[in-house]
Amino acid sequence: MSVKSYRLDPTHRVVELSGITDADDALAAEQELRALLRRCDTPAVIVDLECEEASPAVMNLLVRLRRFAERYRVFLCVTARDPQAAQALREAGLERILRVTRTLSQARARTEVCCAATASPRPPASTVRTRLKVRLYRFVCPDTRERTPVTSASHPSDVL
């Protein structure tokens, strides 16, 4: 089992994950990855799977890691370069939960939408391309804004 990490650019960190064959390896990798996410200095982390097949231990690890990353407001994307690993993730239905791509450049483009939308407080220019990016952001990325509960005091027409 090995976990290597390097910074791709100011907004992306790549974590190479390889050699996970059983639950013990997955547990050790999860501890390392959680420590990395706690002290992460970039808003996006790309997990690069370097294995021929995504085992159930790897799939469970990725799902738990996604939930943990959301707590720390880090966007997580998974790159499965090997066609068998990508097929295994697709068959398990994890493309619905995880942001799965085939290359690092696709992962970078997919997370740039998320990071750019949260980093800039002003609205983007109103072009077709930017409106599509914002819609993609809303679909792919979790809503990080705090929601206020609706009460009767918030609707003056309901108060007598």
Side-chain angles (χ1 to χ4, degrees):
M1 188 253 345
S2 76
V3 177
K4 298 176 188 171
S5 170
Y6 62 91
R7 195 172 181 150
L8 188 62
D9 58 29
T11 58
H12 297 90
R13 176 167 292 282
V14 177
V15 178
E16 296 175 351
L17 196 61
S18 64
I20 297 178
T21 56
D22 59 0
D24 292 334
D25 290 340
L27 183 62
E30 183 177 0
Q31 290 173 350
E32 285 185 43
L33 291 169
R34 282 183 178 223
L36 179 105
L37 287 173
R38 278 189 203 103
R39 63 183 184 339
C40 189
D41 55 349
T42 59
V45 172
I46 301 170
V47 177
D48 188 8
L49 286 180
E50 295 184 349
C51 57
E52 292 182 10
E53 285 192 29
S55 67
V58 170
M59 291 183 201
N60 288 331
L61 167 70
L62 293 173
V63 171
R64 288 191 309 267
L65 205 63
R66 166 73 193 267
R67 290 182 190 148
F68 190 79
E70 285 177 356
R71 277 193 241 150
Y72 286 93
R73 302 199 192 256
V74 175
F75 296 107
L76 189 72
C77 190
V78 178
T79 300
R81 296 183 196 195
D82 190 83
Q84 291 175 344
Q87 181 68 23
L89 292 173
R90 192 172 23 260
E91 286 176 356
L94 292 182
E95 286 188 333
R96 296 180 199 151
I97 301 169
L98 303 169
R99 298 169 192 100
V100 180
T101 61
R102 294 293 303 268
T103 63
L104 281 177
S105 60
Q106 288 175 345
R108 188 177 185 183
R110 195 161 183 188
T111 56
E112 277 179 354
V113 173
C114 302
C115 297
T118 56
S120 114
R122 66 180 177 168
S126 183
T127 64
V128 173
R129 185 176 183 153
T130 56
R131 285 194 304 257
L132 286 173
K133 280 186 176 182
V134 168
R135 284 190 186 139
L136 177 67
Y137 164 74
R138 289 182 185 152
F139 176 74
V140 171
C141 303
D143 189 12
T144 57
R145 296 175 294 186
E146 296 291 325
R147 296 186 187 265
T148 57
V150 178
T151 61
S152 60
S154 63
H155 296 290
S157 62
D158 295 340
V159 179
L160 297 176

